[in-house]
Amino acid sequence: MSKSLSQTMWVWSKLASSKWEDAWFERLRFLDPQCLVVTALPGKSSIRIEAYRVDEPTARILEKSFGGSVRETKADAWQTSQAHALQPILIRDRLVLAPDADSAAALRAKYPDRHVLLVPGSLAFGTGDHPTTATCLRWLVDFAAETEPGWSHLDAGTGTGVLCLAAKVLGAGKTEGFDFDPQAIRTAKINAEANQIAGVQFHKRDIRGWEPQRLFALVTANLYSGLLVESAAKLLRSLQPGGRLLLSGIMRSQEADVVDAFRKLGRPNPECALRKGKWVTLRY
């Protein structure tokens, strides 16, 4: 476990109505996107918004400006609490995501014909419970089912590395992911080791400065809409002829901007668009 996981951090949290989720993302755009976690509360029309890994002055500004509460915690304690809050996630009939080692063992016994991945709550985005990640995983399973093993995969904004790890167990050959957040890369490597998955490469890289060095059969990009618009040409250049591109992290209010950016590059309407709540995933 990396040293940073035992450091102290400040967390700001607030309850809000789920109908204002997109407004809160806009309101908090000045924060590093990787600091924000929005959790839907089961059986309620409310969400919990958290800004973690922020310094105390920023946390106090958030508290003064928007209400809510501020607490000081150990990063590893926050990770443990997140893991306890998560439930196993079943993806199609091929994949299961487990939040801790004990449930992973039980799920492997219960579903011997499925791939079980251990993806605990962490300081990086992508445990499979968010609609954007879950949709990418479902389409990734579909892609693997119709493609000969050995296909290549690139994941831009890899977070916990879950899409890369899922791709690998589902038959991918060359698989790599990158993220601008060093904590995400550490987490992704830890998750690969915990699942005993080799042959996946993770790199610290900002998509704004990234240039594709090779072509991939499948490219996944679970990023904010502004980054998808800014990086549209590079994402398309990274695709093999006939390859697939999955774009997620798009709010409904920003879907038209993303579609328009790809249309200007010669790609008409996406092959498929799946809308879940306030989130949209596009397939090209």
Side-chain angles (χ1 to χ4, degrees), residues 224-226 228-229 232 247 250-251 254-264 282 284:
Y224 283 94
S225 301
L228 294 176
V229 170
L247 306 176
I250 306 164
M251 288 190 291
Q254 299 166 331
E255 178 184 358
D257 294 336
V258 177
V259 171
D260 187 56
F262 281 84
R263 184 180 293 120
K264 289 177 179 177
L282 305 176
Y284 284 88

Side-chain angles (χ1 to χ4, degrees), residues 10-183:
W10 292 86
V11 180
W12 169 79
S13 62
K14 177 182 176 62
L15 293 178
S17 171
S18 59
K19 69 179 180 179
W20 298 115
E21 181 178 351
D22 53 351
W24 278 106
F25 271 99
E26 289 297 320
R27 209 173 276 176
L28 299 172
R29 285 182 67 181
F30 65 92
L31 293 173
D32 179 342
Q34 294 285 345
C35 293
L36 288 177
V37 173
V38 177
T39 305
L41 302 179
K44 299 181 180 180
S45 59
S46 299
I47 54 174
R48 181 172 60 248
I49 307 164
E50 291 180 297
Y52 66 95
R53 234 174 348 131
V54 295
D55 55 27
E56 184 178 9
T58 302
R60 296 301 178 191
I61 289 172
L62 290 167
E63 182 183 35
K64 183 178 179 179
S65 301
F66 305 117
S69 61
V70 170
R71 70 184 187 276
E72 184 182 14
T73 187
K74 295 289 185 181
D76 53 357
W78 185 90
Q79 177 174 336
T80 301
S81 69
Q82 287 296 103
H84 290 164
L86 297 174
Q87 297 296 319
I89 299 169
L90 278 63
I91 305 294
R92 301 287 196 240
D93 59 351
R94 297 284 308 281
L95 194 65
V96 184
L97 305 186
D100 55 63
D102 290 341
S103 63
L107 289 164
R108 289 188 179 104
K110 184 176 181 179
Y111 301 105
D113 57 340
R114 303 188 187 190
H115 300 287
V116 176
L117 290 177
L118 170 59
V119 187
S122 72
L123 298 182
F125 178 80
T127 53
D129 58 326
H130 195 278
T132 60
T133 309
T135 302
C136 284
L137 285 166
R138 292 186 182 97
W139 276 352
L140 195 158
V141 168
D142 294 343
F143 177 88
E146 63 187 30
T147 309
E148 290 294 322
W151 44 274
S152 54
H153 170 238
L154 172 69
D155 186 29
T158 198
T160 60
V162 62
L163 295 181
C164 283
L165 301 182
K168 195 66 178 178
V169 300
L170 290 169
K174 175 73 174 180
T175 309
E176 62 181 80
F178 67 82
D179 203 293
F180 80 100
D181 182 4
Q183 177 62 55

